[in-house]
Amino acid sequence: MADVLTTDNDGEINRVLSNFYAVQECLHSAVASIQAHGLRSFLTMLGIIIGVGSVICVVALVQGLSQSISQQFQDLGSNTLTLRSETPLEDQLRGKRNRLRPTDLDQLKYRIDGISNVTPIVFAGNGGASGVRNGANSAIGQLFGTTESYQEVQKAFPKYGRFLTQSDDVTRRRVVVLGEQMRKDLKLPQNPVGRFIQIGDEWFKVVGTMEPRGEVFGFSQDSYLLMPYQTALAVTGVVTKPDLWVTFSVTNLDSIESTKDRVRTLMRQLHQLKPNQPDDFKIEASDSLAKSFNQISTTITLVVAGIVSISLLVGGVGIMNIMLVSVTERTREIGIAKALGAPRQFILMQFLIEAIVLAIIGGLIGIVLGFALGFGIAKMIPNFPNPAVPWVAVVGACAFSALIGMIFGILPASKAANLAPIDALRYE
């Protein structure tokens, strides 16, 4: 009984070794055939190279941009909420506009527990319309009024000088903090603290400049100016009817949803909304913005990559055509192999592996080309973030290339395996 088991084990080992050597021989034959027809092999792989390269390039650019913007959202902090007014488009067309009022800000501060760094932000005009000037130099940008807690909520801090203080707000001082692009446009020195600029007919003292945040989609995030909240209300003349945004931090990360519900209930009471009326405000979390953008970028990546992947099918058709030509050229070789006892699966495996090797080599070249194109395009666009390719995309590109080679190599391989030895030997 033991001898029988030993014989069975030896037979299984021999079969495994035989299959291994067969695959090794087929792989060696495939590489030799590709090397023997270098130019033809390259032209065969060209469709795969272009398809994979295009997919990798698109994914690299979109994912790099996505990661850059997501990082900026995350810098706000996952416990940050923003309350702002919301006006439906049909109401805007009728001239109606919902607003958040200073009383809403006061009620939010004193009636909602578990929040901190409550920061009002009021739009004080556009730099171009308000006339931000430094002598003969002018600047265009956003003008905001806010308080000292802005820097804690937004995670934005001064590079030079100081930020706005509570005393600036209480006394309505004419002081401002500049974004980096605003400073450049006004032709102010690197450290402009102590200099005076003009906004409309008012003179303001520069007390600080903010750390630069760069560009998104080619638009600068540093073309802005901050002044004390009460000063902005006084200067713009909207003390009674300003439209505020309010940002604040939730002290307990686990209670964000319950805090949003309490804020929503309070705002509906203050605005005297009936149960059947929609909210005239919106509460947004910084992480929800990041998630929304990630969903959009993922959808764009999949759609564009899917469209570009059509070229991979073209590459697969090219592989199939060349492999059919190869079968025709090697008909006598196939006949000799079959006459010497080569089984059908060996012939099938030989041509199938050759098609798969062609596709995989084309895919690897395409990945390198895609990386190079992605970095090249990113460097050509000013301030574009570095491209990023997730490893899943690289593995997926290789696997898809192999799948294309296998699918489009089946027909030529089957044709070669089904040739009758006598007919193959007679072929001229």
Side-chain angles (χ1 to χ4, degrees):
M1 184 68 178
D3 292 339
V4 173
L5 291 175
T6 302
T7 302
D8 289 344
N9 289 337
D10 291 343
E12 184 67 28
I13 292 173
N14 289 333
R15 281 193 295 272
V16 171
L17 289 175
S18 177
N19 290 334
F20 173 77
Y21 290 133
V23 172
Q24 188 179 39
E25 182 62 29
C26 289
L27 186 59
H28 176 75
S29 175
V31 173
S33 176
I34 292 171
Q35 289 176 341
H37 305 88
L39 180 59
R40 188 175 75 179
S41 298
F42 175 74
L43 294 176
T44 304
M45 294 184 293
L46 197 57
I48 298 292
I49 292 172
I50 294 173
V52 173
S54 302
V55 171
I56 293 296
C57 179
V58 169
V59 171
L61 292 173
V62 175
Q63 289 299 312
L65 183 62
S66 173
Q67 289 181 15
S68 175
I69 296 178
S70 296
Q71 183 60 47
Q72 293 177 35
F73 282 134
Q74 291 170 5
D75 289 342
L76 296 178
S78 57
N79 64 332
T80 301
L81 295 178
T82 299
L83 172 65
R84 62 178 178 83
S85 61
E86 176 85 355
T87 305
L89 179 60
E90 54 270 21
D91 289 343
Q92 294 182 34
L93 295 176
R94 297 192 196 103
K96 179 183 176 182
R97 183 160 185 89
N98 298 321
R99 299 176 183 273
L100 290 180
R101 302 176 295 270
T103 53
D104 296 330
L105 173 65
D106 295 334
Q107 293 293 325
L108 185 68
K109 283 182 179 179
Y110 301 118
R111 293 181 59 179
I112 300 295
D113 296 327
I115 63 174
S116 60
N117 299 321
V118 180
T119 307
I121 301 173
V122 60
F123 180 63
N126 181 279
S130 302
V132 181
R133 300 189 303 277
N134 172 40
N137 302 307
S138 61
I140 297 176
Q142 302 296 321
L143 279 59
F144 297 104
T146 188
T147 62
E148 61 177 340
S149 54
Y150 174 92
Q151 58 182 343
E152 294 297 333
V153 175
Q154 300 292 332
K155 305 302 179 186
F157 303 96
K159 182 178 181 181
Y160 294 105
R162 64 173 178 85
F163 196 70
L164 306 173
T165 65
Q166 185 176 5
S167 63
D168 292 333
D169 192 46
V170 172
T171 58
R172 300 183 180 180
R173 287 196 184 107
R174 300 304 197 254
V175 293
V176 294
V177 177
L178 302 177
E180 180 63 16
Q181 189 60 47
M182 181 76 75
R183 179 197 67 78
K184 291 179 179 178
D185 293 341
L186 292 173
K187 302 294 192 296
L188 289 167
Q190 189 77 18
N191 184 357
V193 174
R195 301 288 291 267
F196 285 84
I197 62 172
Q198 203 171 358
I199 305 177
D201 297 327
E202 300 276 351
W203 286 92
F204 286 76
K205 183 179 180 180
V206 178
V207 295
T209 59
M210 302 299 290
E211 294 176 342
R213 294 184 293 183
E215 296 184 354
V216 174
F217 297 112
F219 295 98
S220 174
Q221 301 181 85
D222 300 308
S223 295
Y224 65 95
L225 176 153
L226 302 174
M227 64 179 69
Y229 169 66
Q230 294 295 341
T231 303
L233 295 181
V235 169
T236 56
V238 290
V239 178
T240 55
K241 290 186 177 181
D243 184 14
L244 304 180
W245 284 37
V246 183
T247 61
F248 52 92
S249 302
V250 180
T251 53
N252 184 1
L253 197 60
D254 296 330
S255 64
I256 285 183
E257 291 303 321
S258 62
T259 302
K260 288 172 67 174
D261 291 339
R262 285 186 283 125
V263 171
R264 181 174 181 270
T265 301
L266 175 63
M267 289 298 112
R268 289 188 63 86
Q269 291 176 352
L270 295 174
H271 295 186
Q272 298 179 349
L273 297 175
K274 297 178 181 179
N276 61 340
Q277 288 182 294
D279 295 340
D280 59 358
F281 56 88
K282 195 167 186 177
I283 306 170
E284 297 176 328
S286 59
D287 62 340
S288 67
L289 295 175
K291 290 176 183 176
S292 298
F293 182 81
N294 285 334
Q295 291 174 354
I296 293 171
S297 65
T298 300
T299 302
I300 293 173
T301 302
L302 292 175
V303 171
V304 176
I307 294 172
V308 175
S309 296
I310 295 174
S311 59
L312 285 173
L313 300 178
V314 178
V317 173
I319 288 177
M320 182 172 66
N321 289 336
I322 296 301
M323 290 304 299
L324 286 171
V325 172
S326 179
V327 170
T328 303
E329 288 179 347
R330 295 158 64 183
T331 300
R332 286 182 62 82
E333 176 190 331
I334 296 169
I336 293 171
K338 282 202 164 189
L340 293 175
R344 180 182 181 277
Q345 59 266 29
F346 180 86
I347 304 297
L348 182 71
M349 188 189 307
Q350 180 180 355
F351 284 89
L352 195 58
I353 287 178
E354 185 173 337
I356 293 174
V357 169
L358 276 171
I360 290 177
I361 293 175
L364 293 175
I365 296 174
I367 289 171
V368 175
L369 179 64
F371 269 108
L373 281 175
F375 277 94
I377 293 173
K379 295 302 180 185
M380 290 171 61
I381 302 174
N383 300 307
F384 196 91
N386 290 327
V389 181
W391 64 269
V392 176
V394 176
V395 174
C398 289
F400 193 60
S401 299
L403 182 63
I404 289 290
M406 184 174 67
I407 291 173
F408 287 93
I410 286 176
L411 179 61
S414 298
K415 180 181 178 182
N418 292 330
L419 284 174
I422 189 65
D423 295 332
L425 288 171
R426 284 181 189 168
Y427 184 80
E428 294 293 339

